[in-house]
Amino acid sequence: MFPSLKSSQIGGLHCLRTRLRFTFSGKGTKLYSQASTHKKATFESNTLVYNLSNYQSSFPQDKALNKDITTLKQLLQNRHEPQVFKVAVLYESAKVRRNSKIVEVLLADPLASNNQVWFERIRKRHGLARFFFGEYAKDLVDEDDLEYRIPSPILSGLYRNTFKREAPDVANDLIIEEYENAAQLEKAVDECTYVVYVTPQFNYVTTSLPSSIKDRLLLQVIDNTEYSPVSTESSPLSIEDGIQTHLIKINSNLAYNGIVQFIQRDVHAADEYIESMTKSNVYELFKFVDHFSRTDNLTSWYLAKIIQTISSKIKRANTVISEGSDVVKSEIENFGQMVNSELQYEFIPETTNYVQKKLSWWKLYYKNDNVEYDLKDFLNNQFMNKAIENYNFLRGKILSTDEVVENPLLELKNEVINRRVSSEVQPEVYSVLSKAFVYYQLPISVIAALSYQFFDFSGNACIALCSLGWILGFNQVSRDWINFMNKWMNQLFEEVRVTVGSKCIDNGLMKESNEQVIRIENENSIRQKILRDIERKLPAGINKL
């Protein structure tokens, strides 16, 4: 049986219901092992669960939304059976965790006998911990004080104070786990049914928390020693419909001090205890936890989130269909103008200037093998970089994806650098140098030497003849190299124009933009139909908030 209450308990304080207790195990949203007389919901074509599953199979790319749908389906399928909900209490920082007493206040049961034994262990713990319901035993507590099994009423669906509200048909237990690091919680947030965010001041959580945590954020608690609204056991819980993340202001330290005083001094501190609980507004927090420990209320919250998310996707799609197409076409036109401008006024003159100055014909003699590497380095740094970057951005925007997309300009750049420079330019270097040497420089030099040796030509005449051969060779190198590079560059510039006009714009961005509009229209139609089906198939007791 649950520990008996003190004989000196004060009238009007927490009322504990004496139902039979049962044991449980679980992580996140799980089933109790006890049998249920209700059949689970099935995947029939006319059920809410089927429509939710239909959305998941139709839009597997909506990963965050599909995780919420999975949780909602579990709630719906097991709504007639006891479940265990994991509540993550996330502190804004380590300092907030040290100053806040929200967990101690939630778990405390000052009216029960022998509660001070396990409460003392909780209040003196050194780090973050995990709490679940059960009979307290010292040897069952984790050695590192990371996990506690305690008979706290807030954790038990059978003993939780309902504050004179009708008891739920299904009693759900809670597991409360503390976190002080959003990155740490982000790894485990899928296991949590909802998140309570504790801050010392009001914060716009959208600016500080990861999206996966914001998605499960049910309550933000402002916990400080400043004024808090007054709440009593009989005051109604104020919950505004249509709100996904609720807000409660409390003073947990005030309530904590009252609880400690009552445990230590018993009825002699009754007035201080009642006053601290009332002025700290923790009754509002207790009622909130009780409200959302009920399956129907939690199901309604998840359902409202899902409906709102799907509706937002439909609205964004309608905006894209009605306005986005013209905007994208305008951006594509601007992209074409920008690329042509970069080609005409940057890439062509810079490439021409580089070849004329850095790869002039006479430098081939000492650069030789390095011509390939110098040209590759230049193209790697200067080959239409703005156009490549803008194409990636615009195509990613059209396709609504952050994934790496195909880029015809980048493919052309890689093709030129990795293959064509090596297979076309570098062999031409060897060719023009070899031809000049074989056709002019070597034979005329040999003739000059033979003339001096055998035909009594003067030294000056032979030197002049040899020089003529080398000059003719240089002239041949100059003419062939300039003609080749001009032809090679003009061909490259023309390929860039064709790639931009045909592959990037006509058969790329414009085609994909039109296909994207058609795809969005089809997806939007499916979403609208599924949303209508979801809203029509709400089980009794479940609403859209």
Side-chain angles (χ1 to χ4, degrees), residues 21 50 131-132 159 176 304 339 345 380 454:
R21 188 179 64 207
Y50 171 81
F131 307 92
F132 58 95
Y159 302 112
I176 296 179
V339 173
Y345 299 108
N380 188 55
F454 299 105

Side-chain angles (χ1 to χ4, degrees), residues 455-472:
F455 299 102
D456 296 328
F457 273 56
S458 66
N460 289 336
C462 291
I463 292 174
L465 182 60
C466 181
S467 299
L468 176 63
W470 281 92
I471 291 172
L472 291 174

Side-chain angles (χ1 to χ4, degrees), residues 164-211:
K164 299 182 180 180
R165 289 184 61 189
E166 183 179 351
D169 295 330
V170 178
N172 300 314
D173 282 10
L174 300 179
I175 294 175
I176 296 179
E177 185 162 359
E178 297 176 295
Y179 297 87
E180 65 181 16
N181 187 305
Q184 180 187 15
L185 174 57
E186 190 175 13
K187 298 176 182 178
V189 71
D190 292 341
E191 302 171 358
C192 303
T193 310
Y194 64 84
V195 176
V196 176
Y197 189 40
V198 184
T199 63
Q201 300 293 335
F202 176 76
N203 289 331
Y204 289 99
V205 295
T206 54
T207 62
S208 59
L209 294 178
S211 58

Side-chain angles (χ1 to χ4, degrees), residues 16-194:
L16 301 177
R17 298 188 301 279
T18 55
R19 302 179 185 175
L20 291 176
R21 188 179 64 207
F22 51 88
T23 58
F24 67 94
S25 63
K27 188 176 185 181
T29 305
K30 295 184 178 178
L31 298 178
Y32 285 91
S33 59
Q34 68 179 40
S36 173
T37 58
H38 296 278
K39 293 182 179 180
K40 295 182 179 180
T42 59
F43 290 90
E44 297 175 352
S45 60
N46 61 341
T47 64
L48 175 58
V49 172
Y50 171 81
N51 292 321
L52 293 170
S53 299
N54 187 20
Y55 187 92
Q56 288 180 304
S57 60
S58 300
F59 303 99
Q61 68 273 21
D62 295 348
K63 296 180 180 179
L65 177 57
N66 286 336
K67 289 178 181 179
D68 285 344
I69 290 177
T70 298
T71 302
L72 177 58
K73 284 163 57 179
Q74 292 174 351
L75 291 170
L76 288 168
Q77 291 171 315
N78 306 308
R79 60 192 294 250
H80 299 298
E81 301 179 12
Q83 302 180 62
V84 178
F85 301 143
K86 180 178 176 180
V87 180
V89 176
L90 173 63
Y91 301 100
E92 185 182 52
S93 64
K95 181 180 179 181
V96 173
R97 178 186 64 81
R98 290 191 298 268
N99 293 335
S100 176
K101 301 298 181 182
I102 183 173
V103 169
E104 288 85 344
V105 171
L106 281 173
L107 297 176
D109 186 20
L111 299 180
S113 60
N114 298 322
N115 68 87
Q116 62 270 25
V117 178
W118 55 265
F119 183 72
E120 193 69 15
R121 288 295 300 271
I122 292 174
R123 64 188 290 241
K124 291 184 177 180
R125 72 191 188 283
H126 299 295
L128 304 171
R130 183 171 182 262
F131 307 92
F132 58 95
F133 184 79
E135 191 70 39
Y136 173 76
K138 185 176 181 180
D139 57 346
L140 294 179
V141 177
D142 187 273
E143 293 181 358
D144 297 324
D145 285 350
L146 299 178
E147 189 171 277
Y148 294 84
R149 177 180 295 160
I150 54 176
S152 173
I154 196 71
L155 300 176
S156 170
L158 291 177
Y159 302 112
R160 188 178 303 115
N161 193 347
T162 62
F163 297 94
K164 299 182 180 180
R165 289 184 61 189
E166 183 179 351
D169 295 330
V170 178
N172 300 314
D173 282 10
L174 300 179
I175 294 175
I176 296 179
E177 185 162 359
E178 297 176 295
Y179 297 87
E180 65 181 16
N181 187 305
Q184 180 187 15
L185 174 57
E186 190 175 13
K187 298 176 182 178
V189 71
D190 292 341
E191 302 171 358
C192 303
T193 310
Y194 64 84

Side-chain angles (χ1 to χ4, degrees), residues 209-418:
L209 294 178
S211 58
S212 59
I213 296 179
K214 287 186 290 185
D215 183 63
R216 296 287 170 109
L217 186 58
L218 175 61
L219 174 65
Q220 181 181 358
V221 176
I222 301 175
D223 186 6
N224 58 43
T225 57
E226 298 174 4
Y227 171 80
S228 299
V230 174
S231 62
T232 64
E233 288 190 349
S234 59
S235 59
L237 173 64
S238 57
I239 293 184
E240 186 176 350
D241 292 341
I243 300 297
Q244 290 300 312
T245 299
H246 299 270
L247 187 68
I248 294 179
K249 167 65 177 72
I250 67 170
N251 183 350
S252 65
N253 278 274
L254 177 61
Y256 173 78
N257 291 332
I259 291 171
V260 172
Q261 287 294 317
F262 188 80
I263 291 176
Q264 293 175 349
R265 298 167 51 204
D266 201 66
V267 294
H268 300 292
D271 291 340
E272 293 91 329
Y273 170 68
I274 296 174
E275 183 179 11
S276 67
M277 296 292 287
T278 301
K279 291 185 177 180
S280 62
N281 198 35
V282 294
Y283 283 128
E284 184 78 0
L285 180 61
F286 277 106
K287 294 169 188 175
F288 186 93
V289 173
D290 172 65
H291 182 80
F292 282 101
S293 67
R294 301 170 185 242
T295 304
D296 286 351
N297 294 332
L298 200 54
T299 301
S300 297
W301 180 67
Y302 267 97
L303 181 61
K305 283 201 308 141
I306 291 169
I307 290 176
Q308 181 180 352
T309 303
I310 297 176
S311 298
S312 297
K313 289 180 178 292
I314 292 173
K315 290 179 181 178
R316 286 197 299 269
N318 287 332
T319 301
V320 171
I321 294 171
S322 61
E323 302 175 4
S325 180
D326 293 336
V327 173
V328 169
K329 288 180 180 178
S330 175
E331 290 181 344
I332 293 175
E333 291 178 1
N334 293 336
F335 168 77
Q337 295 174 1
M338 183 277 297
V339 173
N340 288 327
S341 176
E342 182 183 9
L343 175 64
Q344 191 69 30
Y345 299 108
E346 295 182 32
F347 184 59
I348 290 179
E350 288 175 359
T351 304
T352 303
N353 183 64
Y354 179 82
V355 170
Q356 290 175 350
K357 291 185 177 181
K358 301 296 184 180
L359 298 179
S360 55
W361 67 268
W362 58 271
K363 291 185 178 181
L364 301 182
Y365 283 95
Y366 72 86
K367 282 182 177 290
N368 205 336
D369 294 338
N370 291 328
V371 170
E372 171 186 350
Y373 302 111
D374 288 353
L375 186 56
K376 284 183 176 180
D377 288 342
F378 170 79
L379 292 174
N380 188 55
N381 294 324
Q382 304 297 330
F383 192 102
M384 303 296 292
N385 292 327
K386 295 178 183 177
I388 291 173
E389 182 179 350
N390 279 275
Y391 180 87
N392 286 338
F393 172 77
L394 186 53
R395 188 161 187 247
K397 183 178 180 180
I398 291 174
L399 298 179
S400 301
T401 179
D402 294 328
E403 298 178 2
V404 177
V405 295
E406 295 180 359
N407 190 323
L409 271 177
L410 181 59
E411 292 175 358
L412 176 61
K413 175 181 179 178
N414 293 334
E415 167 73 9
V416 171
I417 293 175
N418 297 331

